[in-house]
Amino acid sequence: MIENKRQEQSEKACGRPIGRKKTAKIEIAIEPDVKNEFMQLLSDEGKNASAELCQWIRNYIKTNRERLK
């Protein structure tokens, strides 16, 4: 039973890796029109806002960490 659940989770293309716990949230304030357009574009591409923003944040940290060394 547990093995099947892990296998299902490992086949997902987005979200947290198995074993990683959700630890924090970030709240942003943007205009409703901007949010709606962003969400619609993501929906059209079959993407998830949380996963996309998480990826952007990780890339930002990596790029700036290397740049500031």
Side-chain angles (χ1 to χ4, degrees):
M1 183 66 131
I2 294 173
E3 186 62 36
N4 289 339
K5 189 171 185 176
R6 286 185 181 174
Q7 186 176 10
E8 289 173 15
Q9 289 176 343
S10 67
E11 293 174 0
K12 292 181 182 179
C14 64
R16 287 186 305 279
I18 295 173
R20 181 166 291 175
K21 294 182 180 180
K22 186 174 184 178
T23 58
K25 292 183 179 181
I26 294 176
E27 184 175 332
I28 62 169
I30 58 175
E31 296 86 1
D33 291 344
V34 173
K35 178 201 169 225
N36 292 337
E37 185 171 359
F38 177 67
M39 297 302 287
Q40 185 60 53
L41 290 169
L42 288 173
S43 177
D44 292 348
E45 297 175 2
K47 295 181 179 179
N48 173 288
S50 183
E52 290 298 306
L53 291 170
C54 184
Q55 182 179 3
W56 183 86
I57 290 169
R58 289 176 187 273
N59 288 337
Y60 181 87
I61 290 169
K62 181 180 177 184
T63 299
N64 287 288
R65 184 184 296 142
E66 292 171 0
R67 183 177 55 90
L68 294 174
K69 283 185 178 180

